[in-house]
Amino acid sequence: MEGPTFRTARIDFAQKRLVSLPVVFEPPSRGSIRGLESSPDGEHVVHSVRPGDTRTRPTRVYLRTADGRVVREWTFDLEIRHGMIGWAPDKGSVLLSAIDGHGRDGIYRIDLSSGELSLVRRFAERETDRSFGLSPDGRSLYFARVRTVDGELVQAQTDIVEHDLETGRERAIQPVRDRGSVVTSPDGAWLAYVEARAPDRYSTIQLFPAEGGRSRILHSGEPAERYRPLGWTPDGQWLLFFTGPPGSPYEVWRVSRAGGDAERVAELPATDAAAVVLHPDGRTIAYLAGQRRGEIWALDVSSDSGSTASRVPDGGTP
């Protein structure tokens, strides 16, 4: 069984289109690539490959050069959630959202030199949607957490929290109406997230100071549209996101941190909405393309000389 590939392209902001690049990341082993992320300097990528069904364990994790050469490979008894992987700024480790073979759900760290796996923060059931953001200095995690009252989760009340990776201390810094991923600006001063607002559940892109404070809406759309932030340009002036109503091609947009109208910058090829990632240069993306392919074999057990098997071409019938 062969899986889809990650293809790369560059956004031409002047022409508002994608320009295909030659680098294609094929799965190094049988299965589907998930969570391809570039290192802060853009020289390496890390991704997982899950064989067979997406809930299958174990999972292989690969460290590769930017041109696709495999550098290291590890196998873990993990199910990585949403393909969520984030690089530490020192490039020595990556963080990922996963559940292990013992049912422990949380944020894990992989040391890229030793391959050692450690649990950073365990999640309670229904506590969070398991997406997270990482501060540029590598000291803090940000994620949306359901509030607790007397030890009980209150699903209608959610906060974005800051988790100190050195001390384990957490503080709520922003109430939110809907849980979602958090994207930190390059200088660490701002956090962006998507909020779905009642009663029409239309999505808004919100921005607020990382130290806490009033949020403001950078962009809002129609009820049928859903947004997902991709990341910031290196200067921190533009936030890139993609959107698209159901059944339509996804589009990449950008909006200024200072506010104003959002600008459409490119249309994406057909892809999995959860599998679009932005390079640290702020203009190169990788997206999942293709479908899982397999082979059908026909087994002939009627032959006097014994059973024989023959390959059936794709789309054929035995």
Side-chain angles (χ1 to χ4, degrees):
M1 183 71 73
E2 300 178 13
T5 61
F6 264 94
R7 300 188 179 275
T8 56
R10 180 168 292 122
I11 301 172
D12 184 332
F13 289 104
Q15 299 295 323
K16 294 183 172 54
R17 64 188 182 94
L18 289 182
V19 179
S20 295
L21 297 176
V23 177
V24 176
F25 291 94
E26 299 275 356
S29 57
R30 289 179 179 271
S32 299
I33 292 181
R34 301 283 291 176
L36 183 122
E37 292 287 341
S38 294
S39 60
D41 59 10
E43 295 182 359
H44 292 84
V45 300
V46 67
H47 68 77
S48 64
V49 171
R50 286 189 293 188
D53 185 90
T54 57
R55 295 180 296 275
T56 300
R57 292 191 299 263
T59 292
R60 291 187 178 92
V61 176
Y62 291 88
L63 175 68
R64 303 170 71 169
T65 58
D67 60 3
R69 180 175 58 86
V70 174
V71 179
R72 293 188 182 93
E73 172 190 351
W74 305 275
T75 300
F76 299 108
D77 188 15
L78 291 175
E79 175 191 342
I80 300 179
R81 304 287 198 177
H82 312 305
M84 285 294 300
I85 299 177
W87 281 79
D90 64 4
K91 300 175 292 181
S93 62
V94 293
L95 299 177
L96 47 88
S97 179
I99 181 170
D100 71 4
H102 301 287
R104 294 178 298 183
D105 196 350
I107 304 293
Y108 289 80
R109 184 196 307 273
I110 300 174
D111 185 304
L112 295 179
S113 60
S114 67
E116 180 182 357
L117 180 72
S118 58
L119 180 62
V120 174
R121 207 282 193 183
R122 189 168 181 176
F123 290 142
E125 186 178 2
R126 300 190 306 276
E127 180 185 16
T128 175
D129 73 346
R130 304 178 184 89
S131 60
F132 67 90
L134 186 64
S135 64
D137 61 12
R139 296 178 180 176
S140 300
L141 278 177
Y142 299 101
F143 57 90
R145 182 189 67 191
V146 176
R147 294 183 198 172
T148 57
V149 176
D150 297 328
E152 297 293 328
L153 296 176
V154 183
Q155 292 290 334
Q157 301 179 39
T158 305
D159 297 298
I160 290 177
V161 301
E162 179 186 57
H163 175 94
D164 190 305
L165 287 169
E166 293 183 359
T167 66
R169 295 175 182 171
E170 294 182 356
R171 66 184 183 100
I173 54 177
Q174 179 69 25
V176 294
R177 291 180 173 88
D178 190 34
R179 290 175 283 179
S181 57
V182 180
V183 182
T184 313
S185 64
D187 60 6
W190 299 91
L191 299 177
Y193 67 98
V194 174
E195 183 175 85
R197 296 196 163 202
D200 297 324
R201 304 294 291 176
Y202 65 90
S203 295
T204 63
I205 298 177
Q206 307 267 345
L207 183 71
F208 70 97
E211 291 300 316
R214 184 185 297 273
S215 66
R216 57 188 174 92
I217 296 176
L218 283 184
H219 182 71
S220 61
E222 300 298 325
E225 292 180 322
R226 281 303 185 97
Y227 302 123
R228 180 172 176 264
L230 285 175
W232 296 84
T233 53
D235 61 6
Q237 296 304 308
W238 297 91
L239 176 69
L240 274 69
F241 63 97
F242 71 88
T243 183
S248 300
Y250 288 101
E251 297 176 340
V252 180
W253 290 64
R254 67 176 181 178
V255 62
S256 170
R257 190 179 75 182
D261 294 336
E263 176 187 13
R264 177 190 176 278
V265 295
E267 181 177 301
L268 286 172
T271 186
D272 180 351
V276 183
V277 290
L278 183 68
H279 188 276
D281 66 9
R283 59 184 302 176
T284 304
I285 65 168
Y287 60 93
L288 199 62
Q291 299 178 346
R292 292 181 60 81
R293 301 183 302 277
E295 294 179 350
I296 300 174
W297 287 73
L299 181 64
D300 183 0
V301 296
S302 63
S303 173
D304 292 337
S305 60
S307 299
T308 59
S310 59
R311 180 179 177 274
V312 178
D314 292 343
T317 56

